Amino acid sequence: MSEPRKLYVKSFGCQMNVYDAQRMTDTLAREGYVETNSAEDADLVILNTCHIREKAAEKVYSELGRLRKQQEEQGRKTMVAVAGCVAQAEGAEIVKRARVVDLVVGPQSYHRLPELIASAEQKRGVVETEFPVEDKFDFLAPPTRQAIARRGPTAFVTVQEGCDKFCTFCVVPYTRGAEVSRPIAKIVEEVARLADGGVREVTLIGQNVNAYHGLDERGRPAGLAELVRRIAAIEGIARVRYTTSHPRDMDDELIAAHRDMPALMPYLHLPVQSGSNRLLAAMNRKHDRELYFEIVERVRAVRPDIAFSSDFIVGFPGETDEDFADTMDLVEKVGFAGAFSFKYSPRPGTPAATHADQIPEAVMNERIYALQALLERQKASFDEACRGRRFDILLEKPGRLPGQIIGRSPYLQSVVVLAPREAIGTLARVEIREVSTRSLAGEVLGGEFFAGGAAASAAHVMREEKVEA
Ligand code: 5AD
Ligand code: SF4
């Protein structure tokens, strides 16, 4: 038998890309490719790229430069594919600019990878960036039980792709196209399969996930709240999260879901971008700061233990000191447990990129420094307030030292505990004892594995053994 071909996928950017990378890997596994974790011994390298900011997009070219050097040194040609959002945005340009690239494939065509690779083997420079009529999810392979077990007890599942909001800074509507939701039955089937393989927590992902409006079994559109309810009911699934959401799409049902569904984790990523109404309008965000405050209040009212995280952009064209002060004020008023903040990066083809009043780099640096300092203080005080609290921690993987297991709190904090390896994949009741900048540490008080084990976790452990055998 010939050696299996080795595949190395490197993902940049958001969780959608992490999910896509897994589905590409699963699809190519069916063609006999096995995963490797280094480009050096790969026969096929896929760079799964991000176009959201200039810096992210540039990474692909430095990575391609590295690959070219590596191939020269090794005296061996490896097939190189560029996938993801840069592939979608730049298409044939990439093949022209980087001779090492054999194939360019946009996010909507991953199901066609096997045939595209076959044609790139015949002739370099295959470019596929169409938005095909067929649903790629119908043709992408599901993960095998081994792949599910290897990836651990948490999983991402794409439920919605694309965006119709057209924020003036954002490339997503161009790279990922119009908003499309997968039907409920398909998502339920996928999650049931993951749960059967030992997954306990799913994060439903989409560029604008709370605009989800997939069809239910009777052909009627259902919202995200309904989807979450269906996912939470699947045996084995203990936790559900969703990301990334838009304030405009936090409807009554979804807010009520935070009250009614204990499985829905009390941690909500709700990007606001700016605290200035003038800028929110210029960004075409379709909401003002008052609406943001109102949503935060309403979710807090039904789920008092909820914590928020957000995304911010500083230095959007025309941003004045006053606008920025409004952002700082919004942060002070809401209080975030975590956040991502970015300097504005003009993206080709987006309306804001051609604004005359771009903000000088020095001003952006000053503002982002101040904003991040404030957000870090808030995160530190949130973490500190967790000392002495008791949480259910989903035990995910072995820690650095023997006996240590790393899990996640409801708020996505990493929590280190002492526990046996067999407890991975179960929920432990943990009291938080130590708090540091990167993680928390706690003591296990009990839980599915420790109190003799709930049926679900015992079954899970048995399944793991079967997989490994
Ligand atoms: N410049 C800087 N940040 C951006 N984001 C999106 N587009 C840009 C841009 N052009 C940020 C937003 C978004 C996150 C995923 O990336 O904050 O929520
Ligand atoms: Fe980057 Fe957006 Fe594409 Fe995700 S969807 S990889 S954030 S450009």
Side-chain angles (χ1 to χ4, degrees):
M1 230 174 80
S2 64
E3 283 269 303
R5 286 176 295 181
K6 290 189 186 153
L7 164 68
Y8 173 65
V9 188
K10 181 160 183 172
S11 275
F12 304 85
C14 68
Q15 290 139 341
M16 308 283 290
N17 272 9
V18 176
Y19 175 83
D20 287 346
Q22 293 178 349
R23 300 304 297 273
M24 285 192 256
T25 306
D26 297 333
T27 301
L28 292 171
R30 216 163 41 181
E31 308 289 314
Y33 283 91
V34 296
E35 259 182 289
T36 165
N37 49 19
S38 92
E40 269 91 60
D41 65 349
D43 301 296
L44 167 62
V45 175
I46 301 180
L47 300 182
N48 196 16
T49 61
C50 174
H51 203 237
I52 197 94
R53 285 168 293 275
E54 197 180 349
K55 256 203 193 136
E58 274 168 1
K59 279 187 195 152
V60 59
Y61 288 104
S62 50
E63 196 63 36
L64 288 170
R66 239 196 313 274
L67 283 172
R68 186 174 48 90
K69 256 186 82 194
Q70 175 205 307
Q71 296 195 357
E72 281 165 10
E73 277 163 22
Q74 289 185 329
R76 179 174 87 99
K77 175 78 188 93
T78 307
M79 162 106 29
V80 175
V82 175
C85 296
V86 178
Q88 188 61 43
E90 295 185 4
E93 264 312 298
I94 302 173
V95 178
K96 272 201 219 133
R97 206 173 136 182
R99 290 210 47 86
V100 72
V101 176
D102 301 283
L103 164 64
V104 173
V105 54
Q108 301 312 319
S109 302
Y110 295 156
H111 57 298
R112 299 193 49 214
L113 264 173
E115 46 171 311
L116 294 171
I117 291 167
S119 18
E121 271 163 359
Q122 299 306 312
K123 189 173 184 303
R124 171 194 172 265
V126 175
V127 177
E128 174 60 65
T129 52
E130 289 303 303
F131 283 75
V133 284
E134 74 267 18
D135 180 359
K136 68 171 172 186
F137 292 104
D138 286 343
F139 299 94
L140 286 165
T144 60
R145 293 180 71 87
Q146 283 84 347
I148 298 171
R150 203 171 49 241
R151 290 167 192 163
T154 64
F156 294 129
V157 174
T158 293
V159 303
Q160 173 280 341
E161 275 194 289
C163 183
D164 293 345
K165 289 282 187 299
F166 290 93
C167 298
T168 55
F169 52 79
C170 189
V171 285
V172 167
Y174 314 98
T175 54
R176 293 276 177 162
E179 219 172 82
V180 179
S181 296
R182 297 176 65 194
I184 286 213
K186 299 252 175 78
I187 300 165
V188 166
E189 188 189 310
E190 185 171 333
V191 176
R193 188 186 172 95
L194 292 169
D196 188 53
V199 167
R200 306 296 310 278
E201 172 182 310
V202 282
T203 303
L204 307 176
I205 56 175
Q207 270 95 19
N208 191 3
V209 74
N210 56 342
Y212 177 83
H213 57 272
L215 298 180
D216 69 11
E217 285 82 350
R218 281 182 283 184
R220 292 184 309 203
L224 185 63
E226 171 67 8
L227 177 64
V228 169
R229 197 180 59 75
R230 293 285 304 276
I231 299 299
I234 294 170
E235 204 191 321
I237 296 299
R239 291 172 151 192
V240 184
R241 305 177 187 274
Y242 61 87
T243 198
T244 279
S245 36
H246 191 287
R248 214 27 310 153
D249 295 315
M250 285 304 298
D251 62 20
D252 296 348
E253 288 76 38
L254 192 52
I255 293 176
H258 281 277
R259 177 193 62 210
D260 301 333
M261 277 180 261
L264 193 51
M265 287 295 98
Y267 190 52
L268 180 54
H269 184 63
L270 194 61
V272 64
Q273 315 299 354
S274 168
S276 152
N277 280 342
R278 208 179 64 81
L279 278 199
L280 288 169
M283 289 173 167
N284 189 32
R285 287 288 291 171
K286 303 181 168 70
H287 68 86
D288 54 17
R289 57 191 265 133
E290 286 73 25
L291 181 79
Y292 193 81
F293 289 137
E294 186 192 317
I295 292 162
V296 166
E297 279 316 302
R298 287 180 59 205
V299 184
R300 279 192 174 136
V302 299
R303 186 82 208 236
D305 63 345
I306 193 117
F308 289 90
S309 71
S310 197
D311 288 344
F312 297 89
I313 295 177
V314 301
F316 183 83
E319 186 184 63
T320 62
D321 286 344
E322 229 168 48
D323 292 320
F324 179 64
D326 283 348
T327 298
M328 295 292 275
D329 176 70
L330 180 140
V331 174
E332 295 275 10
K333 290 206 163 92
V334 173
F336 292 96
F340 301 97
S341 44
F342 311 100
K343 291 190 268 188
Y344 171 72
S345 165
R347 305 309 294 128
T350 59
T354 48
H355 269 241
D357 37 8
Q358 303 288 328
I359 304 296
E361 187 72 20
V363 176
M364 285 210 260
N365 285 340
E366 218 171 276
R367 289 179 185 163
I368 198 144
Y369 184 79
L371 176 63
Q372 289 183 344
L374 174 59
L375 289 165
E376 269 159 35
R377 276 201 302 281
Q378 291 193 339
K379 182 187 179 306
S381 77
F382 180 82
D383 287 346
E384 191 49 48
C386 291
R387 195 189 292 272
R389 284 181 71 180
R390 293 175 177 191
F391 297 132
D392 284 340
I393 303 296
L394 178 58
L395 302 177
E396 290 184 8
K397 57 181 183 201
R400 227 162 13 96
L401 300 176
Q404 285 185 339
I405 302 289
I406 301 176
R408 295 277 192 156
S409 77
Y411 304 107
L412 281 180
Q413 297 146 306
S414 284
V415 181
V416 183
V417 298
L418 291 178
R421 279 181 92 106
E422 299 74 45
I424 289 174
T426 71
L427 285 166
R429 192 75 188 153
V430 170
E431 184 170 307
I432 304 302
R433 293 283 166 78
E434 284 169 51
V435 176
S436 71
T437 43
R438 303 188 99 223
S439 63
L440 313 180
E443 188 182 334
V444 176
L445 307 174
E448 292 174 335
F449 181 79
F450 304 91
S457 60
H460 167 66
V461 171
M462 275 161 52
R463 275 201 295 268
E464 282 241 297
E465 278 167 0
K466 231 171 36 204
V467 167
E468 276 169 12

